[in-house]
Every structure is written in structure tokens, then in C-alpha cells.
Amino acid sequence: MSIITAVDTFDVRFPTSQGLDGSDAMNPDPDYSAAYLIIRTNAGDGHEGHGFVFTIGRGNEVETAAIEALRLHILGREAEELLGDMGATWKLLVHDSQLRWLGPEKGVMHMAIGAVINALWDLKAKREGLPLWDLLSRMSPEELVSLVDFRYITDALTPEEALDILRRAAPDRGERRARLLTEGYPAYTTTPGWLGYSDEKLARLAKEAVAEGFTQIKLKVGASLEDDIRRVRIARETLGPDIKIAVDANQRWDVAEAIEWVGHLAPYDIAWIEEPTSPDDILGHAAIAKALAPIPVATGEHVQNRVVFKQLLQAGAVDVVQIDAARVAGVNENIAILLLAANYGVRVCPHAGGVGLCEAVQHLSMFDFVAVSGTKDNRMIEFVDHLHEHFVTPVHVHDGSYWPPSALGAGNEMLSQALTHYSFPDGAAWTATPSALVNLTSS
Amino acid sequence: MSIITAVDTFDVRFPTSQGLDGSDAMNPDPDYSAAYLIIRTNAGDGHEGHGFVFTIGRGNEVETAAIEALRLHILGREAEELLGDMGATWKLLVHDSQLRWLGPEKGVMHMAIGAVINALWDLKAKREGLPLWDLLSRMSPEELVSLVDFRYITDALTPEEALDILRRAAPDRGERRARLLTEGYPAYTTTPGWLGYSDEKLARLAKEAVAEGFTQIKLKVGASLEDDIRRVRIARETLGPDIKIAVDANQRWDVAEAIEWVGHLAPYDIAWIEEPTSPDDILGHAAIAKALAPIPVATGEHVQNRVVFKQLLQAGAVDVVQIDAARVAGVNENIAILLLAANYGVRVCPHAGGVGLCEAVQHLSMFDFVAVSGTKDNRMIEFVDHLHEHFVTPVHVHDGSYWPPSALGAGNEMLSQALTHYSFPDGAAWTATPSALVNLTSS
């Protein structure tokens, strides 16, 4: 038996707005950041649980405060009790009767819960000597179903239906696990497509992406129709007909505008239109999907919880479910979303990039392949080659694929020197570059 | 010209969980709280802008931190510039490209924006020598439309449609203003209906409510079907057929459960079923509304923004729109919601209670009557007789009606001694009652 003795938090920010990496129609100057926590115990085994919320700068201190508000449920508790029933632990955090008012189940508070849940999963996987994807893939269908809170989703997925999905996939888990280790999991790259890049840089990076083995790239759109048509045309001409080109509007449009704008890009064979409008607009996405079919509609990186994903699926509003490791309430809720998507036969292509999102979300897709949907067909995980060097076990992406991590844990752990150097506002990255602070003086 | 010289914040909490006032199926032990701010200028006119987010205890410090994260947009700015174009000021706060990631437009960050916006409206109304409802009711249709951000709602309400609504109402504003002053605005009361009350207390308070002039009461339901049937029956027997009885499940059910449960209460003539399920579940509310018709479905106190209200209206999922003064991004977004409801011909019956919600939201209903929908028919504002004594200008509710406030401002201003006494955790209300702290030790 061991006790959780510390829940330490860190406000970590990278001055990425100094370049234009990460720029899109809604996020012109992000400073990629993490509201980060480390859970420590007195077990003496050296294992810590790491987790984070990804943000893009200002307000990261609010997210950090939200993680701290959850301490009362974790600190001083028996680790084995919390880790032994992660379904109950999830409900303990999400259904706190007072904190719930701050959502419910959305925004700052819900993301903070996600970070704590993910840190607990990181600790649990390390203790069990497995990477998270493998830990989840070894759990029984009954254990997996116990992780999911079915509140508000039983009209789209019952516990019995979830069990059926998992039981159908169970017999061939071993075979798919072996395939995963030898084949990897497909990736696509957004590196060429940031809005701030010149046409020349776009073409060069697109060519490099194909040379590196990627079969899909993604371009940011939505600021200028003329520019978008030119950029998509350049990409198509550069890449030829066989490479997929997705476009991402980052919520730039209203419904009618989305339909019209994407119509102008359709001749260039669009792999999907991502975030055409508000992530809250289920009916809007449904209208867009209907009008633009057969162009698939993708969304999810800002979708707040399983209840909204449920409706997107019920309404036929989404063709590509883009889970995010750090938006909903962590691993448990993402399992609910994977099961919902499987029940509706819709593919999942996770959002990643940012800081640590690739490292974290790959575990969920690999688990999905082994134990839930059982397929990688037409599925891929986003990849952005950025900031991986700050992680203890950065992703292995080569030949156009993510390769299954063998390191213990959930992939969330940042190097301690990065936590120190990029600590905001007192880390050397900020004190040495006062100009970088201009963009972030929110307190 | 004057400068905003301070944005002071206060974490104010009332130890209400010591009683069972405010208890319902999802909120068994709320400590009514406010993340509160005061905006001060160097104008020398003595006017301050007061605003708040209502919460129910733990996490109020996170909400306070979120308000502080908005200082960079307000502090040191010219007051006249911000107050002179409140539409632009709203967009400045809501579309901050980095803070937006923390929502977008939902939860902790969005509510904090609401508090700041409402504080600015409080200051603006005081400067103009008017109560908020009267200030808004004197603005031209064009000025009012300029307050609304139509992003994501043009498929349900265009600026032209909004102008039409406001122009249609304009000629008779004076007549309705006079009626408002002589007739008041209808109220209903939730005071009898908290879940923690005994049957005897319920019956006694229900009778008192009718004696005080209320024509509708509301009961909390959702914890036990047997208890609910008994309590609704007692209320109906006590009140006779002419008093309306609404019921409120506070998001307790899934869709099928809501339909079945409310079916058992239907024989007692239910005025509406409020929050039957997750506030995020537009399609779920639509299914419930269809199954339970003609029982009206009400929701809104936890509806995060205009985009979700838009869809509730589009889907026919809501028969009673319950705006809340402190959930969405303040006065501006509530004007958008009032206009959306008017465009769909759906009545608005605001949520109130908590701390200061009655004081704040009455202004919006009164403005709606004078200048937007032009009607009070079948509309009423919730009233709970609780904590009003802490406000500088508490509501005047008698003879079953809210009476238009004549005091300058938006009604948000708490007495300075209350801010001090209930300051958490150092105010005398907390230091003198260490037992009260048990429920709130979140930091």
C-alpha cells in the first residue's frame, strides 16, 4: 500500500509565437504550453505519474489552478485504491458536486480532470511495467467497460453494446498486436501546411513529407479564399493525384460560408474538411456534411466531451472522429469515444501536434486497433515534427508511421530540464528573452 | 477621458451547505459563491463596475484566476473606448486567440468573460445614470445589433432578422415601459421545492408562495421516483388546479429515463420539465420534447453559449429558454439569445437564485419585454428568497412580481462588508466556523 504524497504542478510555455509554426486561421500566434502535473507516491519504486493539458499560451495559469483544485481528491489517498478502479476514480473527479458547476464536463475544469486522469494512467502503466497502449490492450472487455461512464450516452451506446464490440475484437488481439509491432500505425503530417508559410516553403515541405513516407498531408485554410485555392492547387500539383490532401479551417466559418468555401477547393480532391465551424455546432456540421458529401467532415480536437461526440455520430455530422488526448477527461472518456465511433462505424484519426499530444494520443489509436475497432484502414494519427525533444520518450515516427512505444507509461513525461527551462514566467527561456513575454503577459 | 486603474477580484463564498437550501439531485451540498470583480477608473465620478460568476463552492478560486487572466485586455485601457463599443469589447475578450483554446466559448473562461462584460455594463449604466434594463431599452435597434456577435449563428439569425425584430418592437417601447413600471414582471418561486425539505415544509412553503402572489412554483426531482410522485402530488393537492407546478431534474437522467420518469409525473399537470438531461445534449432534449409533448421542456442555466441555444431552437428541443446572467459571456451574448428566442417564437423564463442571479437577470427580461419580444405572456423570472441582503440594491419581489429597479447599474453590486465577511478562506464567516471549511478545502 502506498500513499499519494504530492501533486506538483508546472506552468510550462514554449515561445513558439516567435516563429509561425502552428499558425492557422484562428490561432495566429500560439505559444504552445502545458499545464503540467506530477503525481508522486511513497511507494519507493521511483514511479511518478505525469500528465498535462495542452494550451496555446495565455490562460495556462488558469488551467494549472484548475489542476490544483483537484488535489483534494488525490493527495493523501491510497494509490492502489485510485488506480485499482479507474472507472470509479474518473467519476469521483468528474462528478464532484461543486466543481461540476464550472463545466459541467467542459472547458478548463474538464481538461484539468483529463490531465489528472492521464497522470494516474501514466503511473498505473509504469507500475504494471507496460506502455499504456499495451496495458489497455490486455484488459478484459469487462474491465474496459468498467472504465466508461455511460451517463448521457446510453441512447447511442449501452454497456452491452460496448461489451459486444470489445468481445468481437478480443480473439484476434494477439494477431493485431503482432501486426502493430511490425507495421506501425499510419501517420499524416501537418508540418507543410501552416498558414504562415510561403508557397515555396509549402511545396518544399510537402515534397519532403512524401519522401519521408507520408501519404497524406494537411493544409490550414480559412483566412483567404484566393490564397487557399492557390495553396491547395500548389500542393496538388506538387504531390500528384495519389497523395491525400486534407484541409483544416480551425472553426473559421459559419455554416453557409463553409459550404461555399470548401466547394471552391473540391476540384483539388480534398481528403477531408476539418473543423469547418464551431465545435459546438452539431446541427451545423450535419448540414455541412450533407451539402459537401462525399467530402468527409472531420472534427474533434475541440469537442468537449462524449456527449457532443455522441450527437455528432447520431446526426451523421462527422465522418472522421478526431480524438485529442488532452481535451476531454482523459483516457477513460477517450475509450468511451472510441467505443461510440466503433458502434457507428466511423473512423478515428486523432488530432495531435502541440506539445506532447503525439506522444500521448498514439497509445489510444494503437489500443483501438488491437482491442476496439480492430482496423487501421483509412485511419491515421496526425503528426507534427515539433517539440518532441522535450519528452523522455519522444514518438518514433518514420516511414510514414508511428511505431509502438515500448517505454513504460502513457508517454506524457517531459524532461525535467524542459520543465525548468520553459517554466513561465521564471524559466530561462523567458527571462533570457524578454521580448517573448510580450505575447503572454496575462497576469 | 478616464483610464481603468484596477480590476480587483474577490473569492466570496457563503456556507450554504450547512443548511439544505439549494439542494437538488445533482447538487446535494452547494456553498453558493461568487468569483467577483470590481473595475475602477480614475474618472473621479465614484462609479465602479461590479460583476461576478456564480459558482457553488469548490473551484471558485479557479474562476477568480480566470477573471484575472482577462486583466490584460482591460487594465490601463481607456474606459470610454471599451464602454463606447461594447460589441467590439466583447469580441476582444471572447476571440483572444490564446485564451480561446481554453473553451472555446464555454466553461470557466467563458463565464469569466461574462463577469468582466457584466461589470463593464454595470459601469456603463452607472455612468449613463440608468438601470441596465432601461439603458438597453433606450438603445436603437442598430446599436443593439452591434452588440451581438453573429459568428456561428447566421444560419438561425441574421443581423437583418435581428434588426427586423427590434424595429418591430420599437414603436411601442414607451407603452410597454409604462406597463412594466405599473405591472412589474411575473416571477415564480423555487423556495418550496428543494430536495432536502420535508413534505410538511414543502406543503407549508408552497401555500406561503401562493399567499405571496406567486402563480407558479417549482420542485426539484430526479433522486427518487417514489419521492417525486409523492412530493408532486402533495404540491398539487395543496395548491389546487390553478397554480402551475414545474419540475426540475438538474440533468439527472439519460434520454429514455427522462421520458419514463416524467411520464409518471404527468398526471399532476406539470408546467415544464427542466434540465431533464445533459445541457450539451441537443438531440436528447429534442427526443425528450417530442416524446413528452405537450409537456414543455426547459433548459438553459448550464447551456454554455449562443451556439448551443441556437441548436436547441433549431431542433425544437426547448420550449422554455432559461437564460442565466452568469453562464454565457454576459449581457451581449444574452441579447443574442433573446433575439434567437424571439426569432423562433420561444418564450424566455430566466434561471435565477444562487447569489445575485435574480438581481442581474431581471434586467434582461425587462429589456426583452420593452424592446425585443414585446411580451410577458406566459413568461416569468425564477425567484429564490435567499442571500439578497448582501446586495446594494436587492430585488424587489412582491405580489408575485419583480418590480423594475430604479437604481443605476446592472444590479451586480455586493455590499463591501459582505465581500469582506464571506471572503474565502480568510473572511470571518469562514474563520469563525471552521466546520464550514470542511466542504471547501480545495486548495
Side-chain angles (χ1 to χ4, degrees), chain A residues 29 58 96-98 100-101 103 106 152 154 251 254 280-283 304-305 310-311 327 439, chain B residues 29 58 96-98 100-101 106 152 154 251 254 280-283 304-305 310-311 327 439:
Chain A
D29 55 354
R58 285 188 293 278
D96 177 303
S97 67
Q98 295 190 346
R100 191 177 183 281
W101 193 271
K106 59 182 66 75
Y152 301 142
T154 53
Q251 314 166 26
D254 279 25
D280 307 342
D281 198 348
I282 295 139
L283 300 179
Q304 64 206 34
N305 59 33
K310 174 191 80 167
Q311 295 173 82
R327 173 67 58 183
N439 203 30
Chain B
D29 57 353
R58 285 188 293 279
D96 176 304
S97 67
Q98 295 190 343
R100 191 177 182 281
W101 193 271
K106 60 181 64 74
Y152 302 143
T154 54
Q251 313 167 27
D254 279 25
D280 306 342
D281 199 349
I282 295 139
L283 300 179
Q304 64 206 33
N305 58 35
K310 175 191 77 167
Q311 294 173 83
R327 173 67 58 182
N439 203 29

Side-chain angles (χ1 to χ4, degrees), chain A residues 133 176 179-188 213-215 321 323 338 346-350 361-371 373-383 396-405:
Chain A
W133 69 269
R176 282 190 301 272
R179 279 182 57 199
L180 184 65
L181 292 169
T182 55
E183 297 171 0
Y185 195 103
Y188 76 92
F214 295 103
T215 58
V321 165
I323 59 168
L338 292 173
V346 172
R347 62 183 162 131
V348 177
C349 297
V361 87
Q362 60 177 341
H363 290 271
L364 297 168
S365 279
M366 291 173 187
F367 157 67
D368 176 77
F369 172 57
V370 175
S373 75
T375 178
K376 298 182 290 179
D377 291 356
N378 210 15
R379 291 164 184 248
M380 58 203 108
I381 307 168
E382 185 167 20
F383 176 64
H396 292 292
V397 175
H398 54 82
D399 300 319
S401 290
Y402 278 77
W403 295 87

Side-chain angles (χ1 to χ4, degrees), chain A residues 2-152:
Chain A
S2 63
I3 297 295
I4 293 176
T5 52
V7 178
D8 295 332
T9 60
F10 304 84
D11 180 347
V12 188
R13 310 193 195 190
F14 300 87
T16 51
S17 66
Q18 307 269 298
L20 283 175
D21 310 320
S23 59
D24 63 49
M26 294 292 275
N27 309 297
D29 55 354
D31 285 305
Y32 283 0
S33 302
Y36 194 95
L37 80 151
I38 303 178
I39 295 174
R40 305 181 206 271
T41 77
N42 62 0
D45 57 5
H47 292 316
E48 301 166 344
H50 291 241
F52 60 84
V53 179
F54 170 63
T55 83
I56 62 173
R58 285 188 293 278
N60 201 52
E61 76 283 9
V62 180
E63 197 59 67
T64 305
I67 292 172
E68 290 167 358
L70 294 163
R71 273 197 185 122
L72 86 161
H73 290 303
I74 303 294
L75 199 60
R77 292 287 304 272
E78 191 184 317
E80 291 74 16
E81 192 193 343
L82 292 173
L83 300 178
D85 187 351
M86 285 295 289
T89 300
W90 192 89
K91 290 178 183 171
L92 175 77
L93 296 173
V94 174
H95 300 316
D96 177 303
S97 67
Q98 295 190 346
L99 291 175
R100 191 177 183 281
W101 193 271
L102 301 176
E105 302 195 33
K106 59 182 66 75
V108 166
M109 207 64 234
H110 203 55
M111 293 193 282
I113 291 170
V116 172
I117 289 290
N118 287 347
L120 288 168
W121 276 105
D122 187 51
L123 179 59
K124 182 178 170 81
K126 287 169 176 169
R127 285 183 160 208
E128 303 201 15
L130 292 168
L132 177 65
W133 69 269
D134 205 4
L135 169 66
L136 294 173
S137 299
R138 289 165 190 251
M139 292 175 80
S140 72
E142 292 75 14
E143 287 174 303
L144 290 167
V145 166
S146 81
L147 300 174
V148 172
D149 186 353
F150 287 87
R151 174 170 272 182
Y152 301 142

Side-chain angles (χ1 to χ4, degrees), chain B residues 134-163:
Chain B
D134 205 5
L135 169 65
L136 294 173
S137 300
R138 289 164 191 252
M139 292 174 79
S140 72
E142 293 75 15
E143 287 174 301
L144 289 167
V145 166
S146 81
L147 300 174
V148 172
D149 186 352
F150 288 87
R151 172 170 273 184
Y152 302 143
I153 59 172
T154 54
D155 52 333
L157 178 76
T158 63
E160 295 70 31
E161 288 170 320
L163 259 183

Side-chain angles (χ1 to χ4, degrees), chain B residues 10 17 37 39 56 80 84 144 165 168 198 214 217 224 229 243 267 270 290 302 325 331 337 363 372 379 424:
Chain B
F10 304 84
S17 66
L37 79 152
I39 295 174
I56 60 172
E80 291 74 16
L144 289 167
I165 291 166
R168 273 199 303 275
S198 69
F214 294 104
I217 68 162
S224 149
I229 294 172
I243 299 297
I270 300 305
K290 196 174 167 195
H302 277 86
V331 169
I337 296 162
H363 290 272
V372 186
R379 292 166 182 245
F424 183 84

Side-chain angles (χ1 to χ4, degrees), chain A residues 223-289:
Chain A
S224 149
L225 177 57
E226 196 186 336
D227 287 351
D228 287 351
I229 294 171
R230 191 186 69 255
R231 286 158 39 81
V232 174
R233 182 176 49 74
I234 289 171
R236 179 54 72 209
E237 288 171 359
T238 305
L239 299 176
D242 295 336
I243 299 295
K244 292 179 184 165
I245 302 171
V247 298
D248 181 357
N250 290 90
Q251 314 166 26
R252 190 65 165 74
W253 303 312
D254 279 25
V255 174
E257 196 180 12
I259 294 167
E260 204 212 315
W261 196 299
V262 178
H264 290 289
L265 307 178
Y268 302 100
D269 190 12
I270 299 305
W272 71 56
I273 170 63
E274 179 170 330
E275 289 205 305
T277 190
S278 164
D280 307 342
D281 198 348
I282 295 139
L283 300 179
H285 279 86
I288 292 166

Side-chain angles (χ1 to χ4, degrees), chain B residues 8-40:
Chain B
D8 294 333
T9 60
F10 304 84
D11 179 347
V12 188
R13 309 193 194 189
F14 300 87
T16 49
S17 66
Q18 308 267 298
L20 285 174
D21 308 321
S23 59
D24 64 49
M26 295 291 275
N27 310 297
D29 57 353
D31 285 306
Y32 283 180
S33 301
Y36 194 96
L37 79 152
I38 303 177
I39 295 174
R40 305 179 205 272

